[in-house]
Amino acid sequence: MTGLAQRSATALAPVRGLLLTAAQKEAADIRRDAAEQALALLEAARREADRVRVAAAEEGTVAARSRAALRFAQVRRQAHERVLTRRNALWLELQRQVRESAVSLRTDSRYPRLLAPLIAQSHALLGPEASVAESPEGGVIAEVGSRRLDLSLPVLATRTLESMMQEVRELWMR
């Protein structure tokens, strides 16, 4: 068998050579295909990463704009609330000052001349039988039966101020 093995080996050498060449070519083809597939996968992964990055940036921009709009609305609402609170405080202070000024008219030398028209107004509105008394804060309070008319100085001053509310609002809008 030794001789046959030697002859077989010699006879098979070209086949072995062809098989080796074919195997090497196939291995090279497989390596080349694997390298091409790896490059294709890498390129696909890069494109996907770019797409994800762009989408994330867009989502971040949208989210940032949304947060900014929300914050702007909150700040605007807070500013409006502060303005309204300040206006209310100013209005209350103005009312207080007007009432104090009205009450202080009692000490004015012209006060007695102010009472006569208020008494006349009371009788004109409630009738001559109305009981008219001076208010402790100045002005008069008239009553007849269940009807009561308050022409005290603070009430008159408050009504006058309220009748001027449109002018006061215009001052605030400037």
Side-chain angles (χ1 to χ4, degrees):
M1 275 215 7
T2 330
L4 183 60
Q6 182 69 359
R7 257 187 325 176
S8 295
T10 306
L12 292 176
V15 173
R16 250 188 262 158
L18 287 173
L19 287 174
L20 181 60
T21 303
Q24 289 172 338
K25 183 180 178 302
E26 189 175 340
D29 288 345
I30 290 172
R31 276 194 299 271
R32 188 185 66 249
D33 287 347
E36 287 174 1
Q37 287 177 4
L39 286 174
L41 285 173
L42 189 57
E43 186 56 35
R46 283 187 184 126
R47 284 193 306 270
E48 179 64 13
D50 287 344
R51 188 194 64 73
V52 168
R53 202 174 9 257
V54 167
E58 288 172 358
E59 287 177 18
T61 299
V62 168
R65 284 185 183 142
S66 177
R67 280 193 302 275
L70 178 61
R71 182 67 182 136
F72 177 75
Q74 289 171 335
V75 168
R76 191 177 69 232
R77 187 172 37 255
Q78 288 171 347
H80 184 67
E81 288 172 2
R82 285 184 188 132
V83 166
L84 291 178
T85 299
R86 183 65 181 141
R87 281 183 186 169
N88 188 51
L90 289 170
W91 175 250
L92 293 174
E93 178 59 20
L94 179 61
Q95 283 180 319
R96 186 192 65 72
Q97 288 179 12
V98 165
R99 287 181 65 86
E100 282 181 8
S101 294
V103 170
S104 72
L105 289 175
R106 284 193 68 211
T107 60
D108 190 292
S109 62
R110 297 170 288 181
Y111 176 70
R113 288 183 296 203
L114 179 66
L115 283 178
L118 293 176
I119 293 169
Q121 181 73 21
S122 297
H123 287 297
L125 292 171
L126 295 180
E129 67 279 357
S131 154
V132 180
E134 189 174 349
S135 168
E137 296 179 308
V140 296
I141 297 176
E143 294 178 345
V144 63
S146 62
R147 295 172 42 197
R148 184 173 194 265
L149 178 63
D150 188 344
L151 295 178
S152 64
L153 295 181
V155 168
L156 292 172
T158 298
R159 286 183 189 159
T160 301
L161 182 60
E162 287 172 355
S163 74
M164 299 172 69
M165 190 58 184
Q166 185 59 38
E167 289 88 353
V168 171
R169 280 193 184 114
E170 287 175 11
L171 289 174
W172 284 338
M173 296 304 160
R174 292 183 183 170

